[in-house]
Amino acid sequence: MLSIEYVYMSRTGKVEIDYTIVPLNELGKEEAALVKSALQARFTAHAPYSNFQVGAAALLADGTVVAGSNQENRSFPAGLCAERVCLYHASSNYPDTPIEMLAVVAFPAKSEVAEPAHPCGGCRQVMMEMQHKQRRPFKLLLLYPNDEVLVLEKASDLMPFPFESEI
Ligand SMILES: [Zn+2]
C-alpha cells in the first residue's frame, strides 16, 4: 500500500523594503508640488473627533492632481481616511488614468509640525488593489516632521504578505 508522508519543515524569512528619506527642499519638482497639494488638502479635513488632519494628493499619468482629506463621522466606522478619499475619487472619476504617485501629510490640529503619516492597514490594502487594478505601482511620499519626506517607489512595499497578490 502506498503511503504519502508529508513533512513540514519550519522556515524563516525576512522582509526588507527600500525607502529614501529626502529633505522636502531636495525633492523633485513634481514630488514637491504634490506634497504641497496634500498640505493644502489637509485644511479640508473634517476631524472633530481625532483632531488629526490628514491630506492626500494623487498625481495621475495625465498630470491631473486629485486631493482628499480625512472625513470623520459621529458614527465612527462611517468616516474615511484621506488616502482612501483621494484614491477612490481618482478611481471613480478617472478610472482609466493610472496613478503615478501619492503624497500624504498629517498634522495634529492647530500644529504646524507634521506627524509621520504612515497609512493604516486598510489604506495599504487599498493602495495594493489600486496598483493591481492599474497593473503598475505608484510612488508614495509621506511627509515627516522637520520637512523630511519618506519616499517609497512602490506603495505596495508597505504591505508585505497582502490579501491580494502583489503586482
Ligand atoms: Zn487609512
Side-chain angles (χ1 to χ4, degrees):
M1 185 182 207
L2 183 67
S3 71
I4 299 173
E5 190 175 315
Y6 292 97
V7 178
Y8 296 98
M9 298 179 69
S10 63
R11 287 170 286 167
T12 59
K14 186 187 286 186
V15 175
E16 293 183 343
I17 63 170
D18 293 320
Y19 65 89
T20 313
I21 295 178
V22 184
L24 185 56
N25 61 10
E26 290 179 21
L27 272 185
K29 199 173 166 187
E30 275 189 328
E31 285 86 350
L34 198 63
V35 171
K36 198 171 177 186
S37 295
L39 286 166
Q40 283 298 315
R42 69 124 168 163
F43 292 114
T44 67
H46 175 62
Y49 307 106
S50 71
N51 286 315
F52 198 66
Q53 299 176 317
V54 185
L59 174 67
L60 310 187
D62 66 357
T64 302
V65 173
V66 173
S69 56
N70 54 324
Q71 300 296 315
E72 297 177 354
N73 192 276
R74 190 177 302 269
S75 170
F76 275 20
L80 200 58
C81 301
E83 298 95 315
R84 273 180 273 178
V85 170
C86 179
L87 291 171
Y88 288 157
H89 182 83
S91 183
S92 54
N93 288 284
Y94 306 92
D96 301 319
T97 311
I99 296 162
E100 296 279 340
M101 61 177 104
L102 176 72
V104 184
V105 306
F107 289 78
K110 298 176 186 153
S111 169
E112 287 309 311
V113 180
E115 289 278 327
H118 301 126
C120 75
C123 287
R124 294 178 195 207
Q125 186 68 45
V126 169
M127 290 178 201
M128 174 70 63
E129 183 127 352
M130 291 290 171
Q131 287 192 169
H132 188 81
K133 181 183 166 205
Q134 67 184 30
R135 299 181 193 283
R136 66 192 222 201
F138 58 83
K139 188 187 277 194
L140 186 60
L141 310 166
L142 307 176
L143 182 66
Y144 271 15
N146 305 321
D147 285 345
E148 292 182 318
V149 179
L150 177 70
V151 181
L152 292 103
E153 294 300 320
K154 291 167 60 183
S156 53
D157 283 346
L158 280 180
M159 191 75 179
F161 303 110
F163 179 60
E164 176 143 8
S165 60
E166 200 175 340
I167 61 164

